[in-house]
Amino acid sequence: MEPALEWYKNAELWMLIVTVVSVIASAKGVIYQVKKSRETSKRLKAFDVINSIEYKPVHENGLKVLREFNDNEKTISRLVEDKYSEQCDDILELLNHYEYLAVGVKEDILCEKTLRKANYTSFLIIYEGSEEFITSLRKKYDAPTVFSELEWMYKRWKKAGYDGPLPLVD
């Protein structure tokens, strides 16, 4: 037989082929594990953030202020005039927390799917209840980017709904 037809009998060639296939398979396995680990880490961070604020007095106080203004049809924008009031501080603390979450989502640090499942309804209520306050802050301080990530996340979640598909992060 011709030597060219007996290439499959060459042990060195087979060792090279097996080595290359092993390296490729190992690399794919490592990449998969890193991605999986990152997703798990993002979910755990999201749960940590959710649990760290849920029952803090700051969170409860901010919600009380929102309820008070929305239930009594008072204008929440008047709080902006007295930025040193306790009620204003409570609203700002609450909104800052959700702004922090929105930045974490936008920067792909926190798992948006987990946050949305845990906070969807309350987040929408909080944003809608404080939208007038945010608008007043932006006008008074000529700061159009105040709580812009919060608004960005609100629009995403409102459009997608509770469990609808989310668009890719901008």
Side-chain angles (χ1 to χ4, degrees), residues 54-76 79 87 90-91 94 98 122 125-130:
E54 259 337 282
Y55 301 105
K56 285 189 176 178
V58 168
H59 191 104
E60 291 175 12
N61 293 344
L63 290 173
K64 283 179 189 173
V65 172
L66 278 180
R67 259 187 251 113
E68 176 188 328
F69 278 88
N70 289 324
D71 289 348
N72 299 321
E73 297 181 15
K74 294 180 183 176
T75 177
I76 197 167
L79 289 178
Q87 288 179 317
D90 292 339
I91 295 291
L94 182 66
Y98 283 99
S122 58
I125 290 169
I126 288 167
Y127 182 83
E128 289 166 357
S130 57

mmCIF file of all heavy atoms in Angstrom, residues 54-76 79 87 90-91 94 98 122 125-130:
data_model
loop_
_atom_site.group_PDB
_atom_site.id
_atom_site.type_symbol
_atom_site.label_atom_id
_atom_site.label_comp_id
_atom_site.label_asym_id
_atom_site.label_seq_id
_atom_site.Cartn_x
_atom_site.Cartn_y
_atom_site.Cartn_z
ATOM 1 N N GLU A 54 -35.141 45.609 52.030
ATOM 2 C CA GLU A 54 -36.568 45.352 52.161
ATOM 3 C C GLU A 54 -37.186 45.797 53.486
ATOM 4 O O GLU A 54 -38.266 46.332 53.503
ATOM 5 C CB GLU A 54 -36.847 43.861 51.978
ATOM 6 C CG GLU A 54 -37.374 43.387 50.657
ATOM 7 C CD GLU A 54 -38.088 44.342 49.743
ATOM 8 O OE1 GLU A 54 -39.269 44.650 49.966
ATOM 9 O OE2 GLU A 54 -37.488 44.753 48.761
ATOM 10 N N TYR A 55 -36.536 45.556 54.584
ATOM 11 C CA TYR A 55 -37.172 45.828 55.860
ATOM 12 C C TYR A 55 -36.492 46.937 56.648
ATOM 13 O O TYR A 55 -36.720 47.084 57.828
ATOM 14 C CB TYR A 55 -37.252 44.540 56.692
ATOM 15 C CG TYR A 55 -38.041 43.483 55.967
ATOM 16 C CD1 TYR A 55 -37.396 42.416 55.359
ATOM 17 C CD2 TYR A 55 -39.414 43.595 55.826
ATOM 18 C CE1 TYR A 55 -38.119 41.466 54.651
ATOM 19 C CE2 TYR A 55 -40.140 42.659 55.121
ATOM 20 C CZ TYR A 55 -39.496 41.597 54.535
ATOM 21 O OH TYR A 55 -40.202 40.666 53.838
ATOM 22 N N LYS A 56 -35.690 47.710 56.000
ATOM 23 C CA LYS A 56 -35.030 48.817 56.685
ATOM 24 C C LYS A 56 -36.027 49.955 56.866
ATOM 25 O O LYS A 56 -36.863 50.207 56.003
ATOM 26 C CB LYS A 56 -33.818 49.300 55.893
ATOM 27 C CG LYS A 56 -32.636 48.371 56.005
ATOM 28 C CD LYS A 56 -31.419 49.011 55.392
ATOM 29 C CE LYS A 56 -30.224 48.097 55.615
ATOM 30 N NZ LYS A 56 -29.028 48.632 55.008
ATOM 31 N N PRO A 57 -35.909 50.673 57.962
ATOM 32 C CA PRO A 57 -36.815 51.804 58.203
ATOM 33 C C PRO A 57 -36.790 52.841 57.076
ATOM 34 O O PRO A 57 -37.818 53.430 56.756
ATOM 35 C CB PRO A 57 -36.282 52.408 59.506
ATOM 36 C CG PRO A 57 -35.557 51.306 60.177
ATOM 37 C CD PRO A 57 -35.024 50.431 59.086
ATOM 38 N N VAL A 58 -35.634 53.042 56.459
ATOM 39 C CA VAL A 58 -35.535 54.017 55.366
ATOM 40 C C VAL A 58 -36.487 53.632 54.237
ATOM 41 O O VAL A 58 -37.210 54.470 53.694
ATOM 42 C CB VAL A 58 -34.075 54.092 54.842
ATOM 43 C CG1 VAL A 58 -33.992 54.849 53.553
ATOM 44 C CG2 VAL A 58 -33.171 54.695 55.886
ATOM 45 N N HIS A 59 -36.500 52.365 53.896
ATOM 46 C CA HIS A 59 -37.377 51.878 52.836
ATOM 47 C C HIS A 59 -38.837 52.067 53.243
ATOM 48 O O HIS A 59 -39.643 52.578 52.477
ATOM 49 C CB HIS A 59 -37.080 50.397 52.584
ATOM 50 C CG HIS A 59 -37.715 49.850 51.348
ATOM 51 N ND1 HIS A 59 -36.997 49.616 50.212
ATOM 52 C CD2 HIS A 59 -38.979 49.496 51.074
ATOM 53 C CE1 HIS A 59 -37.801 49.135 49.281
ATOM 54 N NE2 HIS A 59 -39.011 49.050 49.785
ATOM 55 N N GLU A 60 -39.151 51.656 54.458
ATOM 56 C CA GLU A 60 -40.531 51.773 54.960
ATOM 57 C C GLU A 60 -40.964 53.229 55.030
ATOM 58 O O GLU A 60 -42.094 53.562 54.661
ATOM 59 C CB GLU A 60 -40.646 51.121 56.333
ATOM 60 C CG GLU A 60 -40.511 49.618 56.277
ATOM 61 C CD GLU A 60 -40.511 48.973 57.652
ATOM 62 O OE1 GLU A 60 -40.843 49.654 58.653
ATOM 63 O OE2 GLU A 60 -40.176 47.780 57.730
ATOM 64 N N ASN A 61 -40.072 54.109 55.490
ATOM 65 C CA ASN A 61 -40.420 55.527 55.596
ATOM 66 C C ASN A 61 -40.681 56.144 54.221
ATOM 67 O O ASN A 61 -41.618 56.925 54.060
ATOM 68 C CB ASN A 61 -39.310 56.302 56.308
ATOM 69 C CG ASN A 61 -39.177 55.902 57.766
ATOM 70 O OD1 ASN A 61 -40.071 55.286 58.344
ATOM 71 N ND2 ASN A 61 -38.049 56.235 58.361
ATOM 72 N N GLY A 62 -39.866 55.792 53.254
ATOM 73 C CA GLY A 62 -40.075 56.297 51.896
ATOM 74 C C GLY A 62 -41.408 55.844 51.334
ATOM 75 O O GLY A 62 -42.132 56.623 50.708
ATOM 76 N N LEU A 63 -41.754 54.589 51.576
ATOM 77 C CA LEU A 63 -43.044 54.075 51.107
ATOM 78 C C LEU A 63 -44.206 54.772 51.808
ATOM 79 O O LEU A 63 -45.233 55.067 51.194
ATOM 80 C CB LEU A 63 -43.117 52.563 51.327
ATOM 81 C CG LEU A 63 -42.212 51.727 50.435
ATOM 82 C CD1 LEU A 63 -42.251 50.261 50.857
ATOM 83 C CD2 LEU A 63 -42.609 51.864 48.978
ATOM 84 N N LYS A 64 -44.050 55.053 53.102
ATOM 85 C CA LYS A 64 -45.105 55.760 53.846
ATOM 86 C C LYS A 64 -45.333 57.154 53.268
ATOM 87 O O LYS A 64 -46.477 57.591 53.117
ATOM 88 C CB LYS A 64 -44.738 55.879 55.327
ATOM 89 C CG LYS A 64 -44.933 54.607 56.105
ATOM 90 C CD LYS A 64 -44.511 54.807 57.554
ATOM 91 C CE LYS A 64 -44.502 53.483 58.295
ATOM 92 N NZ LYS A 64 -43.940 53.609 59.652
ATOM 93 N N VAL A 65 -44.256 57.843 52.964
ATOM 94 C CA VAL A 65 -44.379 59.188 52.396
ATOM 95 C C VAL A 65 -45.087 59.116 51.043
ATOM 96 O O VAL A 65 -46.003 59.903 50.776
ATOM 97 C CB VAL A 65 -42.997 59.876 52.251
ATOM 98 C CG1 VAL A 65 -43.106 61.182 51.490
ATOM 99 C CG2 VAL A 65 -42.378 60.104 53.621
ATOM 100 N N LEU A 66 -44.700 58.181 50.210
ATOM 101 C CA LEU A 66 -45.356 58.030 48.901
ATOM 102 C C LEU A 66 -46.839 57.741 49.077
ATOM 103 O O LEU A 66 -47.681 58.333 48.401
ATOM 104 C CB LEU A 66 -44.711 56.899 48.103
ATOM 105 C CG LEU A 66 -43.447 57.228 47.349
ATOM 106 C CD1 LEU A 66 -42.926 55.998 46.619
ATOM 107 C CD2 LEU A 66 -43.665 58.357 46.365
ATOM 108 N N ARG A 67 -47.168 56.823 49.975
ATOM 109 C CA ARG A 67 -48.571 56.489 50.224
ATOM 110 C C ARG A 67 -49.348 57.703 50.710
ATOM 111 O O ARG A 67 -50.458 57.950 50.269
ATOM 112 C CB ARG A 67 -48.685 55.355 51.254
ATOM 113 C CG ARG A 67 -48.961 54.027 50.596
ATOM 114 C CD ARG A 67 -49.239 52.942 51.610
ATOM 115 N NE ARG A 67 -48.098 52.048 51.608
ATOM 116 C CZ ARG A 67 -47.242 51.872 52.597
ATOM 117 N NH1 ARG A 67 -47.400 52.484 53.734
ATOM 118 N NH2 ARG A 67 -46.231 51.049 52.476
ATOM 119 N N GLU A 68 -48.745 58.435 51.632
ATOM 120 C CA GLU A 68 -49.409 59.620 52.195
ATOM 121 C C GLU A 68 -49.758 60.619 51.101
ATOM 122 O O GLU A 68 -50.867 61.141 51.045
ATOM 123 C CB GLU A 68 -48.496 60.278 53.232
ATOM 124 C CG GLU A 68 -49.041 61.569 53.800
ATOM 125 C CD GLU A 68 -48.017 62.272 54.679
ATOM 126 O OE1 GLU A 68 -47.205 61.598 55.337
ATOM 127 O OE2 GLU A 68 -48.035 63.519 54.680
ATOM 128 N N PHE A 69 -48.817 60.875 50.217
ATOM 129 C CA PHE A 69 -49.068 61.856 49.164
ATOM 130 C C PHE A 69 -50.020 61.331 48.104
ATOM 131 O O PHE A 69 -50.856 62.067 47.607
ATOM 132 C CB PHE A 69 -47.745 62.315 48.533
ATOM 133 C CG PHE A 69 -47.076 63.373 49.333
ATOM 134 C CD1 PHE A 69 -46.213 63.036 50.359
ATOM 135 C CD2 PHE A 69 -47.343 64.709 49.091
ATOM 136 C CE1 PHE A 69 -45.600 64.013 51.119
ATOM 137 C CE2 PHE A 69 -46.745 65.701 49.851
ATOM 138 C CZ PHE A 69 -45.871 65.351 50.872
ATOM 139 N N ASN A 70 -49.916 60.077 47.766
ATOM 140 C CA ASN A 70 -50.789 59.535 46.731
ATOM 141 C C ASN A 70 -52.201 59.290 47.241
ATOM 142 O O ASN A 70 -53.160 59.448 46.501
ATOM 143 C CB ASN A 70 -50.183 58.257 46.138
ATOM 144 C CG ASN A 70 -48.966 58.576 45.301
ATOM 145 O OD1 ASN A 70 -48.914 59.585 44.624
ATOM 146 N ND2 ASN A 70 -47.960 57.723 45.365
ATOM 147 N N ASP A 71 -52.341 58.899 48.505
ATOM 148 C CA ASP A 71 -53.666 58.656 49.062
ATOM 149 C C ASP A 71 -54.450 59.951 49.270
ATOM 150 O O ASP A 71 -55.658 59.985 49.101
ATOM 151 C CB ASP A 71 -53.575 57.911 50.400
ATOM 152 C CG ASP A 71 -53.131 56.465 50.219
ATOM 153 O OD1 ASP A 71 -53.126 55.989 49.069
ATOM 154 O OD2 ASP A 71 -52.785 55.822 51.229
ATOM 155 N N ASN A 72 -53.771 61.006 49.638
ATOM 156 C CA ASN A 72 -54.437 62.270 49.945
ATOM 157 C C ASN A 72 -54.417 63.256 48.786
ATOM 158 O O ASN A 72 -54.794 64.401 48.939
ATOM 159 C CB ASN A 72 -53.793 62.926 51.177
ATOM 160 C CG ASN A 72 -53.929 62.048 52.397
ATOM 161 O OD1 ASN A 72 -54.952 61.411 52.598
ATOM 162 N ND2 ASN A 72 -52.883 62.002 53.210
ATOM 163 N N GLU A 73 -53.949 62.793 47.650
ATOM 164 C CA GLU A 73 -53.866 63.617 46.443
ATOM 165 C C GLU A 73 -53.109 64.925 46.682
ATOM 166 O O GLU A 73 -53.390 65.941 46.075
ATOM 167 C CB GLU A 73 -55.267 63.874 45.875
ATOM 168 C CG GLU A 73 -55.956 62.599 45.427
ATOM 169 C CD GLU A 73 -57.337 62.850 44.849
ATOM 170 O OE1 GLU A 73 -57.659 64.004 44.526
ATOM 171 O OE2 GLU A 73 -58.076 61.875 44.708
ATOM 172 N N LYS A 74 -52.160 64.876 47.608
ATOM 173 C CA LYS A 74 -51.276 66.024 47.814
ATOM 174 C C LYS A 74 -50.239 66.008 46.696
ATOM 175 O O LYS A 74 -49.961 64.969 46.117
ATOM 176 C CB LYS A 74 -50.544 65.915 49.154
ATOM 177 C CG LYS A 74 -51.437 65.998 50.369
ATOM 178 C CD LYS A 74 -50.583 65.866 51.614
ATOM 179 C CE LYS A 74 -51.408 65.859 52.869
ATOM 180 N NZ LYS A 74 -50.580 65.631 54.066
ATOM 181 N N THR A 75 -49.675 67.130 46.436
ATOM 182 C CA THR A 75 -48.655 67.192 45.401
ATOM 183 C C THR A 75 -47.277 66.914 46.017
ATOM 184 O O THR A 75 -46.822 67.638 46.886
ATOM 185 C CB THR A 75 -48.676 68.530 44.635
ATOM 186 O OG1 THR A 75 -47.609 68.518 43.699
ATOM 187 C CG2 THR A 75 -48.559 69.728 45.542
ATOM 188 N N ILE A 76 -46.690 65.846 45.558
ATOM 189 C CA ILE A 76 -45.404 65.410 46.113
ATOM 190 C C ILE A 76 -44.267 66.325 45.672
ATOM 191 O O ILE A 76 -43.223 66.386 46.306
ATOM 192 C CB ILE A 76 -45.130 63.941 45.733
ATOM 193 C CG1 ILE A 76 -44.049 63.359 46.630
ATOM 194 C CG2 ILE A 76 -44.763 63.816 44.269
ATOM 195 C CD1 ILE A 76 -43.931 61.864 46.556
ATOM 196 N N LEU A 79 -42.283 68.711 48.045
ATOM 197 C CA LEU A 79 -41.162 68.267 48.873
ATOM 198 C C LEU A 79 -39.823 68.745 48.329
ATOM 199 O O LEU A 79 -38.870 68.907 49.075
ATOM 200 C CB LEU A 79 -41.146 66.740 48.989
ATOM 201 C CG LEU A 79 -42.238 66.101 49.829
ATOM 202 C CD1 LEU A 79 -42.103 64.587 49.797
ATOM 203 C CD2 LEU A 79 -42.197 66.609 51.255
ATOM 204 N N GLN A 87 -39.228 64.060 55.092
ATOM 205 C CA GLN A 87 -39.980 63.369 54.041
ATOM 206 C C GLN A 87 -39.206 63.357 52.723
ATOM 207 O O GLN A 87 -39.181 62.347 52.021
ATOM 208 C CB GLN A 87 -41.337 64.035 53.835
ATOM 209 C CG GLN A 87 -42.315 63.783 54.968
ATOM 210 C CD GLN A 87 -43.629 64.478 54.710
ATOM 211 O OE1 GLN A 87 -43.664 65.627 54.274
ATOM 212 N NE2 GLN A 87 -44.713 63.768 54.975
ATOM 213 N N ASP A 90 -36.524 60.805 52.989
ATOM 214 C CA ASP A 90 -37.065 59.442 52.889
ATOM 215 C C ASP A 90 -37.303 59.048 51.434
ATOM 216 O O ASP A 90 -36.955 57.940 51.015
ATOM 217 C CB ASP A 90 -38.362 59.313 53.689
ATOM 218 C CG ASP A 90 -38.150 59.420 55.183
ATOM 219 O OD1 ASP A 90 -37.005 59.196 55.646
ATOM 220 O OD2 ASP A 90 -39.125 59.724 55.892
ATOM 221 N N ILE A 91 -37.879 59.964 50.661
ATOM 222 C CA ILE A 91 -38.124 59.685 49.241
ATOM 223 C C ILE A 91 -36.800 59.538 48.493
ATOM 224 O O ILE A 91 -36.624 58.621 47.686
ATOM 225 C CB ILE A 91 -38.963 60.812 48.587
ATOM 226 C CG1 ILE A 91 -40.351 60.878 49.202
ATOM 227 C CG2 ILE A 91 -39.054 60.622 47.078
ATOM 228 C CD1 ILE A 91 -41.230 59.706 48.877
ATOM 229 N N LEU A 94 -35.162 56.173 49.198
ATOM 230 C CA LEU A 94 -35.870 55.103 48.488
ATOM 231 C C LEU A 94 -35.515 55.115 47.001
ATOM 232 O O LEU A 94 -35.171 54.086 46.428
ATOM 233 C CB LEU A 94 -37.382 55.270 48.683
ATOM 234 C CG LEU A 94 -38.274 54.222 48.048
ATOM 235 C CD1 LEU A 94 -38.055 52.858 48.695
ATOM 236 C CD2 LEU A 94 -39.740 54.631 48.193
ATOM 237 N N TYR A 98 -33.312 52.347 44.409
ATOM 238 C CA TYR A 98 -33.741 51.782 43.135
ATOM 239 C C TYR A 98 -32.881 52.275 41.970
ATOM 240 O O TYR A 98 -32.698 51.558 40.988
ATOM 241 C CB TYR A 98 -35.234 52.044 42.900
ATOM 242 C CG TYR A 98 -36.072 51.097 43.735
ATOM 243 C CD1 TYR A 98 -36.627 51.508 44.936
ATOM 244 C CD2 TYR A 98 -36.249 49.781 43.347
ATOM 245 C CE1 TYR A 98 -37.362 50.627 45.717
ATOM 246 C CE2 TYR A 98 -36.976 48.892 44.115
ATOM 247 C CZ TYR A 98 -37.533 49.320 45.297
ATOM 248 O OH TYR A 98 -38.253 48.443 46.065
ATOM 249 N N SER A 122 -43.921 46.509 43.013
ATOM 250 C CA SER A 122 -43.555 47.587 43.938
ATOM 251 C C SER A 122 -42.684 48.626 43.239
ATOM 252 O O SER A 122 -42.833 49.826 43.467
ATOM 253 C CB SER A 122 -42.878 47.047 45.190
ATOM 254 O OG SER A 122 -41.739 46.306 44.880
ATOM 255 N N ILE A 125 -44.952 50.863 41.101
ATOM 256 C CA ILE A 125 -45.742 51.740 41.979
ATOM 257 C C ILE A 125 -44.867 52.862 42.539
ATOM 258 O O ILE A 125 -45.276 54.027 42.570
ATOM 259 C CB ILE A 125 -46.407 50.925 43.110
ATOM 260 C CG1 ILE A 125 -47.507 50.047 42.530
ATOM 261 C CG2 ILE A 125 -46.942 51.838 44.207
ATOM 262 C CD1 ILE A 125 -48.060 49.011 43.509
ATOM 263 N N ILE A 126 -43.675 52.505 42.982
ATOM 264 C CA ILE A 126 -42.756 53.511 43.535
ATOM 265 C C ILE A 126 -42.382 54.539 42.476
ATOM 266 O O ILE A 126 -42.420 55.748 42.724
ATOM 267 C CB ILE A 126 -41.504 52.838 44.135
ATOM 268 C CG1 ILE A 126 -41.876 52.116 45.430
ATOM 269 C CG2 ILE A 126 -40.384 53.852 44.370
ATOM 270 C CD1 ILE A 126 -40.819 51.174 45.953
ATOM 271 N N TYR A 127 -42.030 54.082 41.280
ATOM 272 C CA TYR A 127 -41.643 55.041 40.245
ATOM 273 C C TYR A 127 -42.819 55.934 39.867
ATOM 274 O O TYR A 127 -42.674 57.164 39.786
ATOM 275 C CB TYR A 127 -41.097 54.337 39.001
ATOM 276 C CG TYR A 127 -40.649 55.349 37.971
ATOM 277 C CD1 TYR A 127 -39.390 55.922 38.063
ATOM 278 C CD2 TYR A 127 -41.503 55.788 36.973
ATOM 279 C CE1 TYR A 127 -38.980 56.897 37.166
ATOM 280 C CE2 TYR A 127 -41.107 56.764 36.071
ATOM 281 C CZ TYR A 127 -39.854 57.310 36.175
ATOM 282 O OH TYR A 127 -39.461 58.290 35.296
ATOM 283 N N GLU A 128 -43.965 55.331 39.617
ATOM 284 C CA GLU A 128 -45.131 56.119 39.208
ATOM 285 C C GLU A 128 -45.553 57.097 40.302
ATOM 286 O O GLU A 128 -45.962 58.224 40.019
ATOM 287 C CB GLU A 128 -46.282 55.191 38.829
ATOM 288 C CG GLU A 128 -46.011 54.460 37.524
ATOM 289 C CD GLU A 128 -46.950 53.292 37.261
ATOM 290 O OE1 GLU A 128 -47.813 52.990 38.123
ATOM 291 O OE2 GLU A 128 -46.809 52.670 36.192
ATOM 292 N N GLY A 129 -45.439 56.670 41.566
ATOM 293 C CA GLY A 129 -45.798 57.547 42.674
ATOM 294 C C GLY A 129 -44.826 58.693 42.886
ATOM 295 O O GLY A 129 -45.175 59.705 43.494
ATOM 296 N N SER A 130 -43.616 58.545 42.402
ATOM 297 C CA SER A 130 -42.602 59.585 42.623
ATOM 298 C C SER A 130 -42.190 60.293 41.335
ATOM 299 O O SER A 130 -41.297 61.132 41.352
ATOM 300 C CB SER A 130 -41.375 58.975 43.295
ATOM 301 O OG SER A 130 -40.862 57.924 42.513
#
